[in-house]
Amino acid sequence: MNILEFCFSVLGGFSTQIAVGALLFCSNMKRRPHFRWRLLVLVPFCLGPTVIGRILGTSFYLLPIFFVGWYAYIFMVMMLLLSLLVWFCFDGPYLHILYYCAASRILQNLAYMVRSILNEFAFLEAHDLLYQVVTFCTDLLIWCLAYRFLVRRITREQVSMENRSLVAFCIGATLIVDVLHYWTYAFHYLNLATLTYDAACCVLLLALQFGIFDRSKQRMERQVMARIYGAMERQQSLSRENIDIINRKCHDLKHQIARLRRADSMAQPDRFLRELEDAVGIYDSIAKTGNDVLDTILTEKSLLCEQYKINMTIIADGKQLGFIEPSDLYSLFGNALDNAIESVRQEQEEHRIISLYIAEKSGIVTVQIDNYCSTPL
């Protein structure tokens, strides 16, 4: 039974809870090499406080050395230490990881508030096994809800934290909530009202923290859509200009043919034919794949290829890409074609070749982009 109680005390311990929360929030980040072995640094972090508490016979976090006046600063120290350990495991900006650890601290505080509120009604003793089971189940429920409503909102892309003031506010608010909660505990103001208020503050702070991601994503999508609309306007303008050129050339075609038949203009027949060919060639740069966003991208890149004398061949069924968001489509093909153009620009003119192939095969959409490359990959 002592072993079971020890396991529950470890799982319900402060260090374990914030570690689990931090790993949840960072789960979509890039992992460093030998990730599983690096995770072992979290084992003493999680087990240490419980083992030390058992040896000394008192709570690790209530040791006199960890107090300044009435406030136990060890909780914030543990959060900062955790941020360094998690940074050792995940390859990402430290500010992001510190931000996630602050969110984990708030999540742990919320779990503590919820089970304290339950204890107000259940009147369970802190050392009872039933209390430990209820504590574990409550924490597990909080973690599951956090994964459902917070972790799944985090995409695999790096989070843009441009608003540093709001980031600093969220991390600072974590400290404020921690201090105010310990104040109510130290001076015996802890009751159902203060617990409920503290829990509500934690929920609102988590909502504020993860609202940053939504606004950053929306801002990036608006920027991409603005580029798409700008490119579409340029395409429409270019189409009108090309049509005007071709209409004017067609209107003058009979006059130019008549001039070509004259003996005194036979020395310049190629010039007139080249003008017609250029006009039609520019019009051919307008891509028509059945997908407006893809047409915009390909038209823009086709004109760029014409400028650098690159031969780009397009066989594309753009309708097959309708399931991709416009911003993702623009980023994917814009980046891929820019890379291909940048590569073939270094080649001799006769080797400047790019091919794009998009088609559906056996229920799978295939996208293939090839470019000539004379140097080893």
Side-chain angles (χ1 to χ4, degrees):
M1 187 64 67
N2 289 334
I3 296 178
L4 187 59
E5 290 179 355
F6 177 78
C7 293
F8 277 121
S9 63
V10 170
L11 293 175
F14 171 80
S15 57
T16 301
Q17 290 183 352
I18 61 173
V20 170
L23 292 177
L24 280 177
F25 290 131
C26 296
S27 58
N28 287 332
M29 298 183 69
K30 182 181 178 182
R31 300 174 178 180
R32 296 187 186 273
H34 311 295
F35 174 75
R36 294 182 180 179
W37 292 106
R38 289 174 179 267
L39 281 178
L40 293 178
V41 300
L42 294 176
V43 174
F45 178 83
C46 296
L47 292 178
T50 302
V51 173
I52 294 174
R54 288 297 179 104
I55 294 174
L56 299 179
T58 184
S59 172
F60 170 78
Y61 301 101
L62 296 181
L63 294 176
I65 192 175
F66 297 142
F67 280 79
V68 176
W70 53 266
Y71 175 64
Y73 64 86
I74 185 60
F75 296 102
M76 296 306 298
V77 172
M78 292 290 285
M79 188 194 78
L80 294 174
L81 175 60
L82 176 65
S83 66
L84 295 174
L85 296 178
V86 174
W87 191 31
F88 176 74
C89 299
F90 291 93
D91 187 7
Y94 177 73
L95 179 62
H96 290 203
I97 293 175
L98 178 61
Y99 191 78
Y100 289 144
C101 288
S104 177
R105 173 69 180 99
I106 290 297
L107 183 65
Q108 181 276 332
N109 201 35
L110 174 61
Y112 178 80
M113 294 304 113
V114 171
R115 65 174 183 262
S116 297
I117 292 172
L118 291 177
N119 189 46
E120 287 288 322
F121 295 98
F123 301 104
L124 298 175
E125 292 293 334
H127 298 290
D128 289 347
L129 180 61
L130 180 59
Y131 173 83
Q132 310 240 348
V133 173
V134 171
T135 295
F136 173 74
C137 293
T138 302
D139 294 339
L140 184 61
L141 176 62
I142 295 296
W143 289 335
C144 291
L145 292 175
Y147 179 80
R148 172 64 179 83
F149 294 104
L150 300 179
V151 177
R152 292 179 61 180
R153 298 171 68 91
I154 304 175
T155 63
R156 294 186 179 274
E157 300 176 358
Q158 287 291 340
V159 176
S160 175
M161 294 188 180
E162 298 175 358
N163 192 340
R164 296 300 177 89
S165 299
L166 192 55
V167 174
F169 169 79
C170 290
I171 296 177
T174 303
L175 174 61
I176 293 173
V177 170
D178 182 79
V179 172
L180 292 180
H181 165 67
Y182 204 81
W183 184 17
T184 59
Y185 172 81
F187 294 99
H188 308 290
Y189 295 135
L190 207 60
N191 53 44
L192 185 61
T194 56
L195 289 172
T196 303
Y197 183 78
D198 201 342
C201 290
C202 293
V203 172
L204 292 176
L205 187 54
L206 285 171
L208 177 62
Q209 285 184 277
F210 287 88
I212 295 177
F213 303 159
D214 293 338
R215 286 191 292 273
S216 297
K217 183 179 179 181
Q218 292 171 2
R219 182 165 54 249
M220 288 187 291
E221 288 180 348
R222 286 196 298 269
Q223 292 173 353
V224 172
M225 292 304 299
R227 290 197 296 268
I228 291 176
Y229 291 140
M232 291 178 68
E233 291 178 356
R234 291 194 299 271
Q235 177 187 356
Q236 294 172 359
S237 175
L238 182 62
S239 298
R240 289 193 297 268
E241 293 176 2
N242 291 338
I243 290 174
D244 291 341
I245 293 173
I246 292 175
N247 288 339
R248 185 168 62 252
K249 294 297 182 180
C250 291
H251 180 74
D252 296 338
L253 182 59
K254 61 180 180 180
H255 302 291
Q256 295 186 19
I257 292 175
R259 293 179 60 186
L260 289 173
R261 289 176 176 174
R262 297 175 186 171
D264 58 350
S265 60
M266 286 302 292
Q268 298 179 339
D270 290 341
R271 182 172 62 85
F272 299 107
L273 293 175
R274 194 180 306 113
E275 291 177 1
L276 292 174
E277 184 179 10
D278 291 342
V280 176
I282 295 175
Y283 186 77
D284 287 341
S285 297
I286 306 299
K288 298 186 183 299
T289 65
N291 185 303
D292 292 339
V293 176
L294 185 61
D295 291 346
T296 301
I297 301 168
L298 295 182
T299 297
E300 185 178 8
K301 303 307 178 185
S302 295
L303 294 173
L304 192 61
C305 287
E306 182 180 349
Q307 177 183 347
Y308 295 123
K309 301 187 183 301
I310 299 172
N311 181 18
M312 184 165 73
T313 304
I314 301 174
I315 302 176
D317 183 4
K319 296 179 181 179
Q320 301 294 333
L321 302 177
F323 64 93
I324 302 180
E325 292 292 332
S327 57
D328 295 333
L329 197 65
Y330 192 91
S331 299
L332 174 64
F333 283 93
N335 184 60
L337 291 173
D338 283 341
N339 291 340
I341 292 172
E342 185 65 25
S343 177
V344 297
R345 281 181 59 188
Q346 313 301 324
E347 305 293 340
Q348 297 180 1
E349 186 172 332
E350 62 271 16
H351 292 156
R352 296 177 185 175
I353 301 171
I354 298 175
S355 65
L356 169 65
Y357 176 79
I358 304 173
E360 183 268 336
K361 294 182 179 179
S362 303
I364 299 176
V365 179
T366 300
V367 177
Q368 182 174 340
I369 301 177
D370 298 313
N371 64 272
Y372 184 89
C373 183
S374 60
T375 59
L377 296 179

XYZ file of all heavy atoms in Angstrom, residues 9 47-67 127 182 185:
205
model
N 1.438 9.872 -4.916
C 2.012 11.138 -4.466
C 2.952 11.709 -5.518
O 3.046 12.939 -5.679
C 2.749 10.940 -3.138
O 3.840 10.038 -3.296
N 10.690 12.929 -9.473
C 10.782 12.075 -8.293
C 11.441 12.769 -7.107
O 11.114 12.475 -5.950
C 11.565 10.799 -8.622
C 10.923 9.811 -9.582
C 11.854 8.629 -9.825
C 9.586 9.323 -9.049
N 12.379 13.677 -7.391
C 13.185 14.279 -6.336
C 12.396 14.876 -5.189
O 12.630 14.524 -4.013
N 11.444 15.795 -5.438
C 10.711 16.419 -4.327
C 9.975 15.407 -3.456
O 9.956 15.545 -2.229
C 9.741 17.362 -5.048
C 10.415 17.680 -6.334
C 11.107 16.420 -6.734
N 9.380 14.380 -4.077
C 8.650 13.379 -3.287
C 9.595 12.546 -2.432
O 9.329 12.289 -1.249
C 7.846 12.459 -4.222
O 6.943 13.247 -5.002
C 7.048 11.446 -3.422
N 10.712 12.120 -3.029
C 11.690 11.319 -2.274
C 12.267 12.122 -1.121
O 12.367 11.631 0.021
C 12.806 10.829 -3.219
C 13.911 10.150 -2.417
C 12.247 9.885 -4.271
N 12.646 13.380 -1.378
C 13.203 14.226 -0.321
C 12.168 14.458 0.769
O 12.486 14.439 1.977
C 13.694 15.562 -0.913
C 14.872 15.313 -1.857
C 14.087 16.527 0.185
C 15.336 16.548 -2.593
N 10.914 14.662 0.362
C 9.850 14.848 1.347
C 9.653 13.628 2.221
O 9.421 13.758 3.440
N 9.751 12.435 1.638
C 9.621 11.206 2.428
C 10.794 11.052 3.398
O 10.622 10.583 4.521
C 9.540 9.999 1.488
C 8.226 9.875 0.719
C 7.053 9.675 1.668
N 5.796 9.586 0.978
C 5.138 8.429 0.782
N 5.665 7.291 1.204
N 3.977 8.433 0.159
N 11.995 11.406 2.962
C 13.174 11.260 3.812
C 13.116 12.232 4.995
O 13.390 11.863 6.144
C 14.463 11.476 2.996
C 14.615 10.353 1.951
C 15.678 11.532 3.901
C 15.784 10.561 1.017
N 12.732 13.474 4.714
C 12.710 14.487 5.764
C 11.437 14.467 6.592
O 11.370 15.102 7.651
C 12.887 15.884 5.143
C 14.201 16.115 4.385
C 14.234 17.520 3.807
C 15.404 15.895 5.307
N 10.416 13.787 6.071
C 9.169 13.705 6.810
C 8.299 14.934 6.693
O 7.335 15.093 7.448
N 8.624 15.830 5.801
C 7.819 17.028 5.578
C 7.818 17.355 4.093
O 8.603 16.801 3.321
C 8.368 18.224 6.369
O 7.487 19.346 6.181
C 9.757 18.605 5.885
N 6.920 18.239 3.687
C 6.831 18.584 2.276
C 8.108 19.280 1.807
O 8.631 20.174 2.487
C 5.625 19.495 2.023
O 5.630 19.975 0.687
N 8.583 18.876 0.643
C 9.792 19.477 0.070
C 9.616 20.969 -0.138
O 10.542 21.756 0.068
C 10.111 18.774 -1.254
C 11.183 19.444 -2.059
C 12.526 19.291 -1.722
C 10.873 20.238 -3.161
C 13.524 19.914 -2.456
C 11.855 20.857 -3.900
C 13.190 20.693 -3.553
N 8.408 21.377 -0.524
C 8.165 22.776 -0.867
C 7.947 23.663 0.372
O 7.822 24.870 0.238
C 6.953 22.874 -1.793
C 7.145 22.089 -3.061
C 6.547 20.831 -3.214
C 7.927 22.564 -4.089
C 6.737 20.098 -4.377
C 8.128 21.843 -5.247
C 7.529 20.597 -5.386
O 7.729 19.869 -6.526
N 7.871 23.037 1.574
C 7.670 23.814 2.791
C 8.933 23.923 3.630
O 8.880 24.358 4.786
C 6.552 23.173 3.629
C 5.167 23.155 2.986
C 4.153 22.516 3.917
C 4.713 24.559 2.604
N 10.074 23.542 3.037
C 11.334 23.673 3.759
C 11.654 25.155 3.979
O 11.425 25.992 3.084
C 12.469 23.004 2.981
C 12.359 21.472 2.830
C 13.507 20.953 1.957
C 12.366 20.789 4.185
N 12.164 25.521 5.135
C 12.413 26.950 5.454
C 13.320 27.648 4.456
O 13.190 28.863 4.240
C 13.058 26.879 6.849
C 12.582 25.586 7.426
C 12.475 24.640 6.273
N 14.238 26.900 3.846
C 15.182 27.535 2.918
C 14.490 28.118 1.694
O 15.032 29.001 1.015
C 16.256 26.504 2.491
C 17.405 27.207 1.779
C 15.640 25.434 1.595
C 18.555 26.287 1.427
N 13.284 27.656 1.412
C 12.579 28.086 0.200
C 11.640 29.263 0.449
O 10.826 29.590 -0.406
C 11.776 26.922 -0.389
C 12.622 25.762 -0.834
C 12.188 24.456 -0.652
C 13.844 25.978 -1.438
C 12.972 23.380 -1.071
C 14.634 24.924 -1.848
C 14.197 23.621 -1.663
N 11.734 29.888 1.602
C 10.806 30.966 1.939
C 11.526 32.309 1.996
O 12.654 32.411 2.478
C 10.127 30.696 3.290
C 8.989 29.724 3.199
C 9.227 28.355 3.121
C 7.688 30.175 3.175
C 8.182 27.460 3.033
C 6.629 29.289 3.079
C 6.881 27.928 3.013
N -4.084 12.539 3.502
C -3.225 11.356 3.468
C -4.003 10.077 3.153
O -3.405 9.003 3.121
C -2.497 11.210 4.806
C -1.598 12.358 5.129
N -0.421 12.604 4.431
C -1.714 13.356 6.045
C 0.162 13.688 4.925
N -0.601 14.167 5.903
N -0.727 31.885 -2.936
C 0.013 31.518 -1.729
C -0.273 32.486 -0.585
O -0.203 32.125 0.586
C 1.512 31.450 -2.016
C 2.219 30.546 -1.044
C 2.200 29.168 -1.223
C 2.858 31.060 0.078
C 2.818 28.322 -0.317
C 3.481 30.223 0.993
C 3.460 28.862 0.795
O 4.055 28.033 1.706
N -3.277 31.248 1.050
C -2.945 30.036 1.804
C -2.193 30.370 3.095
O -2.509 29.848 4.176
C -2.108 29.107 0.928
C -1.543 27.895 1.657
C -2.326 26.781 1.888
C -0.224 27.901 2.100
C -1.812 25.680 2.566
C 0.303 26.811 2.780
C -0.492 25.695 3.003
O 0.010 24.615 3.669
